[in-house]
Amino acid sequence: HSVAVLGAPFSKGQKRGGVENGPKAIRDAGLIERLSHLDYPVHDFGDLSFQYLEKDEPYMHVPFPRTVGRANKLLSGAVSNAVGAGHTTIMLGGDHSLAIGSVEGHAKQCPDLCLIWVDAHADINTPFTSPSGNLHGQSVAFMLKELQNKMPELPGFSWVKPFLSAKDLVYIGLRDVDPGEYDILKDLGVQYFTMRDIDRLGIQRVMEVTFHHLLSRKQRPIHLSFDIDAMDPSLAPATGTPVNGGLTYREGIWITEEIHNTGLLSVMDLVEVNPDLGASREAVESTASMAVDVIASALGQTREGGPITQESQT
Ligand code: ARG
Ligand code: MN
Ligand code: MN
Ligand code: MN
């Protein structure tokens, strides 16, 4: 058992600069050192290098379709290789459009995977429903079989065939859902937990129902797609689309601890850390260190510590 870290410095799934510096900010916050205290070898595969196409006209109001499509195709191959080599894979974004390639590449190796999407946003717009046009708000729509006939053929995306069923997806942390997204969630009967649901049920119950929904019939690999804007902006201010009233620190850690405890985590995305948008160096550092904390906890760092090992004596 081993961990692969894959950096994806990419920002064209939305219009703001800086989110391509997310992988560096997360590494600078000490990610690799923190993971080195866990029980398995960590392989840092460095950052992918993406090409930005010069001629990439918008499709409808969707900017950079070919650039985003090509980046995701590259990422898909890299994630597929890492999972195929037996690594639990951590993908550092970059904006959330990267989930298209990450989950698709994962599904190549693990066709029966399920997807837990932790986010303030549902990212399930189609180009027709999207208010912004930005592809980071549309990632899930590319994956779902049920949306196949609602998706136009975007240039750059002919390689993506829908591979996920709506029943294999659970959202946690939603609090900013567009009208078209709401209709899709209801039509498809997607299981989701808004912040209001978390207030009502408590995060412990939310995770219980999540695992019952996804895993009660059979155990299967989990893809965790974690948008840092799921966290409250007081904890993760350096991000492109912050929304008040987010997860507390302890709710965020509970989610990742429980996912670790299933023993089924296979790939985790950590996206939307944008160091250029922090109001201060502290704001950037707290966002990046929040990212490190949820990653470490998804990989088994506990709040109760652990026994003396060879590593802890050095
Ligand atoms: N729903 C909005 C949109 O479609 C915001 C999406 C934000 N997505 C994100 N990955 N931060 O543009
Ligand atoms: Mn050490
Ligand atoms: Mn979001
Ligand atoms: Mn997102």
Side-chain angles (χ1 to χ4, degrees):
H1 208 65
S2 55
V3 173
V5 175
L6 207 54
F10 183 76
S11 67
K12 294 298 179 188
Q14 45 86 67
K15 298 172 198 97
R16 313 182 74 156
V19 71
E20 72 278 7
N21 300 317
K24 177 171 180 355
I26 296 167
R27 285 202 179 83
D28 287 352
L31 176 68
I32 304 300
E33 209 279 330
R34 278 282 282 291
L35 300 187
S36 75
H37 297 276
L38 303 174
D39 293 338
Y40 20 67
V42 177
H43 304 269
D44 188 349
F45 286 85
D47 288 353
L48 293 167
S49 81
F50 297 109
Q51 291 182 20
Y52 289 71
L53 301 169
E54 269 175 39
K55 230 179 110 42
D56 192 1
E57 293 310 305
Y59 177 89
M60 297 165 57
H61 65 322
V62 176
F64 320 116
R66 298 163 193 82
T67 301
V68 176
R70 179 190 292 221
N72 274 286
K73 190 175 179 184
L74 182 73
L75 178 61
S76 165
V79 169
S80 178
N81 286 342
V83 173
H87 305 300
T88 302
T89 302
I90 306 296
M91 188 281 282
L92 308 175
D95 73 68
H96 216 167
S97 69
L98 293 165
I100 302 168
S102 178
V103 185
E104 202 272 348
H106 187 190
K108 282 239 153 65
Q109 299 289 338
C110 308
D112 63 338
L113 66 78
C114 61
L115 176 58
I116 302 179
W117 195 276
V118 180
D119 201 327
H121 310 92
D123 296 344
I124 197 167
N125 276 300
T126 71
F128 302 109
T129 68
S130 170
S132 64
N134 295 334
L135 283 162
H136 78 156
Q138 305 176 40
S139 325
V140 178
F142 286 87
M143 303 175 198
L144 290 186
K145 295 175 187 164
E146 289 89 342
L147 290 176
Q148 184 143 37
N149 51 20
K150 299 229 155 64
M151 288 295 284
E153 285 197 16
L154 257 80
F157 287 90
S158 58
W159 59 277
V160 195
K161 299 290 168 253
F163 54 86
L164 193 75
S165 299
K167 64 173 182 356
D168 301 326
L169 162 67
V170 174
Y171 286 104
I172 300 170
L174 301 184
R175 57 194 183 278
D176 182 10
V177 176
D178 298 321
E181 295 186 298
Y182 180 87
D183 287 342
I184 291 171
L185 294 177
K186 289 294 175 186
D187 282 353
L188 302 187
V190 175
Q191 176 74 254
Y192 63 84
F193 298 98
T194 64
M195 287 312 300
R196 178 178 165 79
D197 296 319
I198 296 171
D199 288 341
R200 185 163 53 91
L201 299 170
I203 194 65
Q204 189 279 131
R205 180 68 185 146
V206 164
M207 295 315 292
E208 241 173 52
V209 180
T210 296
F211 296 137
H212 181 82
H213 183 83
L214 295 173
L215 306 173
S216 58
R217 282 187 320 119
K218 68 169 162 76
Q219 302 278 292
R220 57 225 183 102
I222 295 175
H223 190 114
L224 169 61
S225 205
F226 199 114
D227 185 328
I228 200 68
D229 73 28
M231 301 307 302
D232 191 78
S234 57
L235 298 161
T239 192
T241 50
V243 189
N244 279 333
L247 296 171
T248 65
Y249 185 90
R250 283 157 58 178
E251 287 166 340
I253 297 298
W254 179 267
I255 292 169
T256 47
E257 284 175 346
E258 288 295 285
I259 290 174
H260 172 76
N261 289 342
T262 65
L264 296 168
L265 179 66
S266 178
V267 177
M268 175 179 185
D269 312 318
L270 192 298
V271 296
E272 299 285 352
V273 171
N274 186 335
D276 290 15
L277 296 179
S280 60
R281 200 159 60 88
E282 292 73 52
V284 173
E285 284 171 358
S286 65
T287 308
S289 116
M290 185 75 243
V292 171
D293 288 354
V294 290
I295 294 168
S297 130
L299 291 174
Q301 180 182 295
T302 71
R303 288 182 273 182
E304 64 175 351
I308 296 174
T309 62
Q310 276 188 341
E311 148 71 13
S312 62
Q313 286 178 319
T314 60

